[in-house]
Each structure stands twice: as structure tokens, then as C-alpha cells.
Amino acid sequence: MDSGEAPSGSFELQDVSSSTWQHSNPQHASDSRLPTSTSDDDFLGPEQDRATSSSIYTAEEERAVVRKLDRRLVLFISLLYMLSFLDRSNIGNARIAGLTEDLNLSSSQYEWLLTSFYCTYITFQWMTLLYRVIPAHIYISACVLTWSLIASSQAFAGSFSSMLILRALLGIGEAAFSPGIPFLLSFFFKREELAFRTGLFISAAPLATSFASSLAWLITKAGDHVPIAAWRLLFLVEGFPSIIFAMLAWYQIPDTPSKARYLNQREREIAHERLEEEKDAGKQQMNGKSGLQWREIREALTDRKCWITACMFFSCNIAFSSLPPFLPTIVHEMNYTALASQALSAPPYLFAFAVVLITAFLSDRSRNRSFYVIFHALLGGSGYLFITLGGALRANSGWRYVGVYPAAAGFFSAITLILTWTINNQNSDSKRGTGVAMLNLVGQFGPLVGTRLYPDSDKPYYVRGMAVCSFFMFLVALLAWWLRRVLIGENERWKDQDDAIGKREEEEGLVGQDDSRMRARSKNIL
């Protein structure tokens, strides 16, 4: 790879100068073991040189850089995702605020409004790969501006057909942004750091839904005192803020760690170097090629790990997509007023918000995904089963409402770790991007099922829809166990290969650069 700046449009990590470090550490400046400048060739040097370069920063300095990225990047991305999920799911609140009556929508037409969003959302999943091609600050700003204008325009819909078109366009805008966020974060954080960061932005979904419910309660209460229908005001109030944040994203989102304007030169060096070291451990070589690597894309397409996680995502998405737009209606059918239904829809999501953060933190600390996915899939399945049995036995509405809490906490937490798990076990940018695209392409067919689980003919208990969600959450647990067995098998095969290479080197008295890099290969995260 030639030294110098990577071509524009590449999401490849950029090089930064080490002159700051050499100036502050003159006693090491002449050390022959260390490079005198951090060109690409130096980063790609022998393993012993790379290992030595890890001494240029302390653990405390690295933690300071990570904390700054958390504050300035992850929290901002989480806010954008919260706005995205708010604009996507507030149609459920609009429904009981008068949308169906004003537009004369049948139950089937309302389901088509939900389905149209996911039809385009699935079709445009390939846009995840554009995070690798278009500079992030340009791409994300355009995505946010697009969906915010469309979401606000829903307030002016006058018929089923116009609302159907707007929902389909909204799906395109959000497909370009949301599915690629874990892929984007993988350019800034190590594998063992990703679950908590993914948890932070995924937790914005239940937070957005609880916020939407609270705001919908206020708007519905004030609906009699304004000259515009409450559901139209809801779309305007919740859609407009995204337009402002689209402009802020242009300045707040860095393309790479070395271009983060809120990091100083020293911090940019550290942010770059710590990821370079992990790439060596994962046996990924920076060969100077920018953009997408088609060979790696083909490898990901034939990797059964990607297909298993995609099936897990599909199963989990059936619950993930169905509850937010239907929960206000479900609660309303439990004999609560429309106003009370808006308010009671918020607490389960606040509970899920806290559980997601705790789960993601513990998963990163233990470097384990499978146990947590299995636990939360069983938790979510049990919650839905509780609601199903409550409906079948015609139990008190309070019992059924209690079941919403474990159901929401279960599927939100499982979604978080499935997204992270997909990225963790691919060792190149193109493979990670392809894995995320496959995850979403297959997984987003789940909402096509989920959005049709609660027809009016099944009210007030919706036993069938709850039973289907319960089944698929239990299926997620089974698939997670299978993926764990696959990863254990891969790790054992890699260990045998590495042991054989080491034994051959000892017998021949040779230590090759490629062999030493092979032995440094990191294991799959279980």
C-alpha cells in the first residue's frame, strides 16, 4: 500500500503523524525498533514492529479517547437513531389519535401503511455498503434530511394513497441510515467495545417509543384546543426536529477517527493505532485497496454465520416491528381510554431502555454474546407467552399488561446483541458491511409478518399475534445456541491450524512473517 491519504469516498482509516509523540518522547525517537514516521508502510511492517508500536500510548490515554468518542459520536448517533425510530413508529400513536377515522382507513389499509414502509426498507438494504463509499458526514446528513422531510409531510396526507406513498418513501430514507450504524461504529471501536455502543443507540428505540407515547399523550390532551387534528400535529412536532439535526450531523460526524475535529492530534494517533493493532490480530491486511472488495463480499455471502444471524434477526424482528405500532391499540383494547393508552405505552419501553444498557455493558465485559442472546430471547418469548395465555384464559387486563415488560426488554436486548455479534466475527470492512446488509435484507422480512399480526378481527386479546411472537423469540434462542456451536468449532479448527504451524516452525527452525501473523489471529466471540 502506498503511503499517503486514502482516496476520497473510502471509509478506510486514515494515517496520522507521530511527530507529536516523538517530540514529547525524545528518548525513544532514535529507537531502531520504532518507526520514525507513521506512514502506511510502517503500519504494515513486521509483527514485531507493530507490537512495539503499542507502547506509544498508555491505557489511560486510550480510555480518554474512547470516552470522548462516546460523548461526541455515540451519543449523537443515538440521538439520530431515536429521531429515526420516533418518525417510523409514531404512526401507532397517530392511529388512536384520529388517523384512521380522518382518512377512513380499514384495518387492512392500516396494515398496508406499515407494510409499505418495510417493503422499501428491505429493498434498499444494500445502501448499508454506501457507508464504505461516501464520506460519513455527507451521507448521514443527507439521510437524516431526507427522512425528516418525508416524516413531517405525513401531516399533510389527505388519503390512504398519499399516506401509503409517504410511508414507502420514509422506508427508503431510513434504510439508508439505520441498518448501517453498527458498521459505522466498527470503524471507531474495537470488537469488545461494540456491544455497549450498539446498545446505546439501540436503547434509543425504546426511549423514542416511550417519548412518543408521552408526547402523544400531551398532544392528544391538547387536541381539542388547536385548529389542526391531533395526529397531524403529532407528525409535525415529532418530524421537524430531525431537520435541524441533519444540519448538525454535517459537522458532528467524522469520516474516520483521524478526521474527528473534537480529537487533538495526539488523540487521533491513538484512535487510529489502536484499531490498526486489532486488525493485525484479526489477520486483516490493509492492502491499499479502497472501496469494496468483491472477493471478501463473496466470502461473506457463503459464510453460514451470516445466514444464521440473519435468521435470528428475522425472527426477532417479527416482535421488534409489531409491538411499537400496535401497543397503544393493544393497551386501548384492554379497556383503557385513548388518553390512558398513550400514557401506559411508555413504561415498558423505559424498562427496556435500562435493560438494554445493562445487558450490552455486561456482554462487553464478559466478551460473550450467546448467553445473553439466549437469555433475553427466552425472556421475550416468556413475556409473549404470558400475554398469550392471559388472553386465551380471558385474564384481567393488568396481567396481560405485565407481560409486555419482559417481552419488550427481551426483544430489544436480543436485537442489540445480534447486530453486534454479526460484526464481531467478520475480519474485514467489506465482510462486515456485507454481513450487516445480509442481516438486514433477510431480517427485515420479519416486519412483513409482524405488521400483520394484530388485525381488528383478533381484538381485544390478539392471542394469535402474541403466540406467533412467542414462538419466534424461542426460535432466536435455539439459533443462538446453534451459532455458538459453529463458532466454537471454528475456534478449535483455528487453534489446531496455529498449533500445526508453530510445530512446523520449531522443526524447521523458521519463523515466517505470515505464520506469526496467523498465530496472532483472534478468536470468534461466542
Side-chain angles (χ1 to χ4, degrees):
M1 176 175 178
D2 297 332
S3 60
E5 185 175 347
S8 176
S10 168
F11 215 92
E12 186 177 12
L13 293 173
Q14 304 296 308
D15 296 330
V16 290
S17 170
S18 63
S19 57
T20 304
W21 170 76
Q22 291 177 0
H23 178 74
S24 61
N25 297 272
Q27 68 274 24
H28 296 298
S30 61
D31 192 334
S32 61
R33 296 173 300 169
L34 298 177
T36 56
S37 62
T38 53
S39 66
D40 287 342
D41 292 333
D42 292 325
F43 283 135
L44 294 173
E47 193 67 28
Q48 59 268 31
D49 287 345
R50 184 68 61 83
T52 307
S53 68
S54 65
S55 63
I56 69 171
Y57 60 86
T58 66
E60 180 56 40
E61 286 179 310
E62 182 180 16
R63 285 193 292 269
V65 170
V66 172
R67 284 195 296 268
K68 188 171 287 189
L69 288 172
D70 283 338
R71 291 194 303 268
R72 303 297 294 273
L73 175 63
V74 178
L75 290 182
F76 187 75
I77 287 290
S78 300
L79 179 59
L80 294 181
Y81 184 71
M82 184 183 76
L83 294 172
S84 166
F85 201 83
L86 183 68
D87 291 337
R88 176 194 316 181
S89 60
N90 58 8
I91 190 171
N93 300 106
R95 183 186 190 186
I96 63 172
L99 169 69
T100 53
E101 290 80 5
D102 288 357
L103 298 186
N104 297 314
L105 301 179
S106 65
S107 174
S108 176
Q109 286 177 320
Y110 176 74
E111 290 175 351
W112 270 111
L113 293 182
L114 304 181
T115 302
S116 65
F117 172 90
Y118 285 106
C119 285
T120 53
Y121 194 78
I122 293 168
T123 304
F124 287 85
Q125 287 298 307
W126 59 269
M127 296 181 73
T128 296
L129 294 172
L130 294 181
Y131 276 98
R132 176 74 171 153
V133 179
I134 303 174
H137 77 284
I138 298 175
Y139 183 69
I140 291 179
S141 298
C143 292
V144 178
L145 182 62
T146 299
W147 96 58
S148 59
L149 291 173
I150 296 171
S152 300
S153 299
Q154 293 177 106
F156 305 104
S159 64
F160 165 69
S161 58
S162 59
M163 181 63 82
L164 185 72
I165 293 172
L166 287 171
R167 293 293 298 179
L169 292 175
L170 183 63
I172 298 175
E174 296 210 13
F177 171 71
S178 303
I181 295 177
F183 183 39
L184 172 67
L185 293 178
S186 72
F187 287 97
F188 295 86
F189 295 97
K190 295 180 178 180
R191 295 198 309 164
E192 65 269 19
E193 298 168 345
L194 273 177
F196 183 63
R197 277 77 196 176
T198 303
L200 281 173
F201 92 79
I202 287 291
S203 67
L207 189 64
T209 310
S210 63
F211 174 73
S213 299
S214 302
L215 185 58
W217 179 81
L218 291 173
I219 293 174
T220 303
K221 193 172 183 178
D224 296 334
H225 308 288
V226 293
I228 184 174
W231 66 270
R232 295 185 187 274
L233 183 61
L234 187 147
F235 281 132
L236 282 175
V237 171
E238 296 184 355
F240 181 75
S242 300
I243 299 175
I244 299 174
F245 281 94
M247 295 181 285
L248 294 177
W250 184 277
Y251 301 99
Q252 188 69 16
I253 302 294
D255 298 335
T256 65
S258 59
K259 291 185 176 180
R261 64 181 68 205
Y262 39 77
L263 299 180
N264 59 39
Q265 181 66 19
R266 168 69 170 166
E267 292 168 335
R268 292 172 186 171
E269 291 180 27
I270 296 171
H272 175 91
E273 179 61 24
R274 72 192 204 95
L275 295 176
E276 287 296 312
E277 291 167 359
E278 184 178 57
K279 287 179 179 178
D280 276 350
K283 200 190 174 186
Q284 174 180 340
Q285 300 183 46
M286 300 287 288
N287 56 14
K289 297 179 182 179
S290 61
L292 302 176
Q293 306 303 313
W294 294 105
R295 180 183 60 81
E296 295 176 351
I297 290 176
R298 287 193 298 271
E299 290 177 358
L301 289 172
T302 57
D303 188 344
R304 61 175 172 173
K305 298 194 300 290
C306 293
W307 290 104
I308 295 174
T309 52
C311 290
M312 291 166 60
F313 198 52
F314 166 84
S315 302
C316 209
N317 253 338
I318 291 176
F320 182 77
S321 64
S322 62
L323 196 61
F326 282 104
L327 183 59
T329 300
I330 293 170
V331 175
H332 184 47
E333 295 300 333
M334 292 179 181
N335 298 319
Y336 294 103
T337 65
L339 196 61
S341 299
Q342 301 282 22
L344 289 173
S345 298
Y349 294 115
L350 289 175
F351 175 71
F353 169 74
V355 172
V356 167
L357 291 182
I358 294 171
T359 300
F361 175 77
L362 294 175
S363 177
D364 271 350
R365 288 292 296 270
S366 62
R367 289 180 60 84
N368 185 284
R369 310 292 185 229
S370 57
F371 290 154
Y372 295 94
V373 172
I374 292 171
F375 171 78
H376 283 288
L378 294 176
L379 178 68
S382 299
Y384 277 112
L385 183 60
F386 192 83
I387 302 172
T388 302
L389 294 175
L393 299 174
R394 304 298 188 263
N396 181 276
S397 60
W399 284 101
R400 288 182 287 139
Y401 178 70
V402 168
V404 174
Y405 285 80
F411 70 69
F412 274 116
S413 297
I415 283 281
T416 299
L417 297 181
I418 292 170
L419 287 168
T420 309
W421 211 2
T422 301
I423 293 175
N424 281 160
N425 296 323
Q426 296 296 337
N427 61 0
S428 76
D429 295 338
S430 293
K431 285 185 177 180
R432 282 193 290 269
T434 305
V436 172
M438 291 172 60
L439 180 86
N440 285 285
L441 183 61
V442 176
Q444 293 302 340
F445 278 98
L448 297 183
V449 178
T451 53
R452 295 184 170 274
L453 291 180
Y454 303 107
D456 284 349
S457 58
D458 286 355
K459 65 182 183 182
Y461 297 105
Y462 301 103
V463 173
R464 182 180 61 175
M466 297 300 178
V468 169
C469 287
S470 178
F471 169 79
F472 278 101
M473 288 305 298
F474 287 133
L475 180 60
V476 170
L478 181 61
L479 290 170
W481 175 83
W482 181 23
L483 180 57
R484 177 180 172 83
R485 302 306 306 168
V486 170
L487 296 175
I488 289 174
E490 281 194 359
N491 287 345
E492 290 175 349
R493 286 193 299 272
W494 288 354
K495 184 179 184 301
D496 292 341
Q497 292 172 6
D498 295 348
D499 290 345
I501 291 170
K503 183 177 180 180
R504 186 176 70 247
E505 289 176 352
E506 291 178 1
E507 292 174 350
E508 298 177 359
L510 298 174
V511 180
Q513 178 178 328
D514 290 340
D515 291 341
S516 64
R517 189 181 291 118
M518 172 69 77
R519 291 197 305 276
R521 174 169 50 191
S522 59
K523 294 182 178 181
N524 286 315
I525 293 181
L526 302 181

